[in-house]
Amino acid sequence: MMDRPLQLKTLLWRAERLFGHKQIITRRDDGYRRYTYAEFGKRVRRLADALNRLGVRTGDRVGTLGWNTDQHYEAYFAVPCMGVVLHTINIRLSPDQIGYVIEHAGDSVLLVSPEQLPMLEQIRDRLTNVKAVVVFGDGPPPTTALGPVYGYEELLADADEEIEFPDVDEDSPAGMCYTSGTTGEPKGVVYSHRSTVLHALILCLQGSIGVAERETYLLVTPMSHVNSWGMPYACALQGASLALPGTQPRPHHYLEIIEHARVSVCVAAVTVGMLMRQELESGRQSYVLDSLHTLWLGGQAPPIGEIRWWQQAHGVHVCQGWGMTEASPLLTFTTLTSQFTDLDDEGKFRLLGTQGQPMPLVEIKLVDDHGEELPWDGKHAGEILARSPWVARAYYHDTRSQDSFAGGWFHTGDVGVIDQNGYLSLVDRVKDLIKSGGEWISSVDLENALMGHPEVREAAVVAAPDPVWLERPIAIVATNSPVASDDLTEFLREKFPKFWLPDRFVFVDEVPKTGVGKFDKKLLRQQIAAGNNHSTDKTP
Amino acid sequence: MMDRPLQLKTLLWRAERLFGHKQIITRRDDGYRRYTYAEFGKRVRRLADALNRLGVRTGDRVGTLGWNTDQHYEAYFAVPCMGVVLHTINIRLSPDQIGYVIEHAGDSVLLVSPEQLPMLEQIRDRLTNVKAVVVFGDGPPPTTALGPVYGYEELLADADEEIEFPDVDEDSPAGMCYTSGTTGEPKGVVYSHRSTVLHALILCLQGSIGVAERETYLLVTPMSHVNSWGMPYACALQGASLALPGTQPRPHHYLEIIEHARVSVCVAAVTVGMLMRQELESGRQSYVLDSLHTLWLGGQAPPIGEIRWWQQAHGVHVCQGWGMTEASPLLTFTTLTSQFTDLDDEGKFRLLGTQGQPMPLVEIKLVDDHGEELPWDGKHAGEILARSPWVARAYYHDTRSQDSFAGGWFHTGDVGVIDQNGYLSLVDRVKDLIKSGGEWISSVDLENALMGHPEVREAAVVAAPDPVWLERPIAIVATNSPVASDDLTEFLREKFPKFWLPDRFVFVDEVPKTGVGKFDKKLLRQQIAAGNNHSTDKTP
C-alpha cells in the first residue's frame, strides 16, 4: 500500500474541494459573520504564510489563547498543516499556569484574544521565547507593553493564499494541550497528525456522534482545550456547517445561535446544558429550537434528570462520551444499540446515563488494586485502563506520572464498572480530584497550598454537589487562630485559577481521619452532601 | 501518542466484547445456519490454532477458494490476526490463472470449497508449495488425489479456542488479491493491516455506505475477490448482523435471504441487482422485502433505469461507489449532499448515477495525455489518478505496469469528468477492457489468443451492450479459411475463464482500421451496438 500519511491537510483538501460552499458561522458582538469553507481554506493558507514570515518553522510551537471563533478555527488548520504544533492554551488556567505552559511548550508565537493582553503583560518575564504576539479580532492591535504585536487581519491581508502545504510525517506533532487539575504544574499532551486524523474519523462513524455533512454543529466546548473534542477536524472532514459562539458567550447566546444558524447538534459541557436549561425555564426570552435534535454533553456525566428533561421538553436526544486530555479526548460514547430498541423511556435514559461503549480502535479493561483484570459483569469496580492510537504514551518533557502509562496502557484514574455489553459506568476516582464545570480541580494541591498558610494546621478539600457546576470545592480547615474565609481566598488566588477557589471554608477543631491517619474524605463528602456541617465564615 | 498499530484483531475484539450477541446467518443447502459473534470469535481462534498446527507461520500465505459463508468469514479474521496473509482467490479465474496465482503467491495452505477439488487436481503440478488442503463444509473431506486433505470442521474440533493473537506491525500484509482482465497473467495486490482497518472505518462513516450496528447486511459481492469490498471487516467493527448467501447461490436465493434474515442493506454487483429485478418481475415467487432499504451496487455503474426502478417499485435507495482491486477497493461513493435535498426525483437519480465524491483520505485528480491537471468543471475529461493509504503502491513481485504507480499516484486507467462539487462520472477507459458482470475482460488478450489460431488472420474483440452483464465480448474475425465459432470457443476455453469467452463471432473479410492502421474499435462498437453487422456462425 502507498505510505500516504494520515495528515490534517487531507481534511482541509476535502473541505475545500467538496464542500467549498458550506458555511462557518461565528457570533460577533455586532451580529454574525458567515463565510464558506472555500474562503476558509484561503485564509488558512494566508495565516500559514503570515506565520512563516514571522519566522515560525517546522516543529515550532504556536500558542493560542482564544475563544471559539472563525479565526481560532483557521489556526486549527494553518498551524499543523505547515508542520508546526498548535498549542491551545486553556483560558481558564491561572496566569501562573499560563506562564508555565507557554514557557514549558516553548511557544514562539502567540495568537491571543485581546482581553488576554493585560494578563500576558503580568507574566511578561515568562515569555522570553515568544517572538511575536498576534491579536485576534478585526482591528489593529491594542496598545500593549508586549513585544512585537500584530493585528490578525492586517497580518493576513499581506499574506499569500496560494501556498502549498508540505507532506508531513504522520507521527509528527500537530497539536498540544496541558491537563489541569492534577497535582503540581499542568502536564502537556502532544497530539500527532495520525492521532488527530483517526480521532476525527471516529467522530464521523455511525454509533459515535456521527458527524455528517447535512448537520450544523454548534461547538460550545472550548477550542482552547483538547481540540474542542476534535469536532473542528471532524466537521471539516465531512463538510458539516459549523456555528461558533465567539468571544465570552453567555448561555442565552448559545440559544440565539441555535435559532439563528438552525443548529441541529450542540456540543457542550454538561454545565452549559444545565445553564441553557435554566435560561429556557426562566422564560426571559423565547427561542425557536426546532432544528436542534441532539445535545452531546461531556466533560463529566450528565445527570439523568437532564437527559430526561431535554428529551421531554424539546425532543432533544442527549448523548455523552467519556474521555480526557490524554485521550484526544474520546474513549467511549453512549449509543443505544439495537437490542435496546424496545426499552421504555426510563430504561433508555438509564443507559444514556452511562458513559457508553468503547469507540472503535479503543481497548479498555478494568483492573483491581493489584493490576488483575476484572470481569465485565456490571458489578466488579476497578480502575479503567485504556489504549488506542489516540491515547498519549507519556506527558511532554515531563517525568511525573510515568506510572500512568505503565505496561502500554493508560491508567485513567477513573474507577468504573462495565456491563456484559461493554457499557461503562464511572463510580469513583482513584485520585483525589474534583470535577467542576467539566474541568479538574486538584484537592491535594489546594490542601497543600492552604497548609502553607501560617495559621492553617490542617486542611482537607472535598467536592460538594452543585446544581450548575455539578461539583464545587469546599475546604475543611483547622487553624491555630481565627482566620477569615476571605483571607484564605486571597491567599489562594494568586496560585490557582479562579474556578479552583473553594466556595466555602468550614472551620473545625480537627479534620476527621481514617484508621491510617489520612483525612477521611469519604466521611467529609457525606457530611457536606448532607449539609451536616457548620459553614461559618470565620473560626468561632 | 501510543504506537498502537491499526490491526484487524482490534476489530475482532470489539465484535466479541461489545456485540457478542449479534448474528451471522449463512444460507446452506438445508436451510440457514445462525451463530453469534461470540461463537464466531471462538471459531476464529480455533481456525488460527489449527492452521498453526498445520505449520503455517507468520508471513505465510493461505489461499481460499470459497463462497460467501461463515467458514470463509472465519478465515477473514483467523489468517490475518495470526500474522499470516489471506489470499482470496477469485473463483471465476480459469484453472490456468488459479494455478498461476497459487504459485505466484506461494500459498502454503488452501481452504477450498469442495466443488473446486476436481479443478485443483487438474492443476496439481502447480501446487508444489501447498502443504495442506482444507475443505470447507461440515463433513469429512471428499476423496481426492490431492496431498494431505482435511475437513474444516474436524480440524476445528481439535483446536484451541483460547489462543491469543500477537500484535502485528500495521504495515505487515493482511490479505492479497489478484486483478483479472489486464493483459497477461493476473497481478497481485497486497493489503496491509493498516489499509484494511482504515478502509473498514471509512465504510462506517456517515456519507459512505455508513455500516451501522442496527442494520443487517447481505453480502453478495464475493468474498473471493477484493475482500467483499471490505464489508466483512466493517460489519465486525460495528457489530452489524451479516447474512451470507452460501454456496453457488442463485438470484432467488438472495431474495429469500433478504426475507428470511430481514436484511436491510444488500451489497452486490450491478448484474446481481438486475438479476434480482428480473426474478421479482417474473412473478415466479413472492417475496417480503419491506426490511430492505438500501442496495449498494458496484463493480460497474448501475444504469439510471435500475436506480429508478428499485426506488419506485420497492422504495429501495440505490447507491454506488467506484473502486478497483488496487484500491481495496473503494475510492468514491455516491451520497446526495444537503445542497441537493430539494432536487426532484429525476435530478436525484441522475446524481446517483454518477460515481460520487472521493471518500475521506482519498485524493483524486484528472490529468490529460501529458499529465497536466484538468479542472473540475463537469466538462474536461481525463484519466483519473488517485492516492490514499489504501491504494497499492505496486503489484506484488511483479515489474509489469510500474507506470500505473508513477509519481506517487495510481493511474486508474478510467477516464472521467468531475463536477465542481467533486462528483465523478466515468466516461471511458484508457485501456481496452470490457467489464462484464463487474469483472474485467481484456480484449487485447483475447485478440492475441485468437490470432494465435492457425486460420485466424485478424481478430478484434469489443464490448457489446448486454441487459444482464452490461457488457459482453464480441469477436470480429477475419480468417484464411472457414472456421466454426465453436472451434474458436474451444480454442480459447483452455486459456481463459468461461466468462471471458466471446458471446459471438462475427466473420469479416477484413477488420476495419483507423488512419494509423489500428483496429477501429470505436467504429466496431458502434456497429455492434446498432446491430449493424452479420453475426454468422461460420465464415461464408
Side-chain angles (χ1 to χ4, degrees), chain B residues 174-201:
Chain B
M176 66 188 301
C177 184
Y178 283 75
T179 61
S180 55
T182 51
T183 314
E185 297 289 6
K187 285 178 277 198
V189 175
V190 175
Y191 309 110
S192 64
H193 277 263
R194 171 186 166 96
S195 69
T196 310
V197 168
L198 287 173
H199 190 271
L201 283 179

Side-chain angles (χ1 to χ4, degrees), chain A residues 13 39 43 98 223 309 312 389 467 506-507 516 532:
Chain A
W13 180 88
E39 196 180 338
R43 289 173 54 86
I98 289 176
M223 285 189 169
W309 185 84
Q312 293 179 345
V506 178
F507 293 93
V516 295
N532 189 10

